[in-house]
Amino acid sequence: QVQLVESGGGVVAPGGSLRLSCAASGSIFSVMGWYRRAPGKQRELVALITNSDSAIYADSVKGRFTISRDNAKSTVNLQMNRLKPEDTAVYYCNVKIVPSGPDYWGQGTQVTVSS
């Protein structure tokens, strides 16, 4: 049974930083990543990383966010720097056992960027 436990959300001023972490258990995951849903908007991809450390980012976060994973611990992290108010959203951890397989989702963690 796949389980995901997220941590690290909170409130931060514009220009600040936060680090999100997701601990996954129950399998070995080929793809791990983060999505977000802002108020009134659809869920969107933020970043994902494969088990060979190939990463992709949404254009809106390139140069500010960094995704990383620890395969030994089955964790995926998202370092978010130079945060903007438009980064405010619920962030969801997402994993796949195989790239074409089903998605598994965390419960979500709130990130609020506000002065």
Side-chain angles (χ1 to χ4, degrees), residues 6 20-22 33-35 45-47 67 76-78 91-93:
E6 301 157 344
L20 304 182
S21 293
C22 174
W34 292 92
Y35 288 69
L45 172 69
V46 177
I67 192 169
V76 59
N77 304 303
L78 186 68
Y91 285 70
Y92 296 90
C93 178

Side-chain angles (χ1 to χ4, degrees), residues 24-69:
S25 61
S27 188
I28 296 173
F29 305 101
S30 62
V31 181
M32 306 181 82
W34 292 92
Y35 288 69
R36 67 186 181 188
R37 177 174 285 160
K41 295 187 177 181
Q42 292 187 330
R43 185 169 56 195
E44 64 175 359
L45 172 69
V46 177
L48 60 83
I49 186 167
T50 70
N51 52 9
S52 58
D53 283 340
S54 177
I56 63 170
Y57 296 89
D59 287 343
S60 59
V61 307
K62 283 181 181 177
R64 300 188 298 121
F65 291 10
T66 302
I67 192 169
S68 62
R69 65 185 286 172

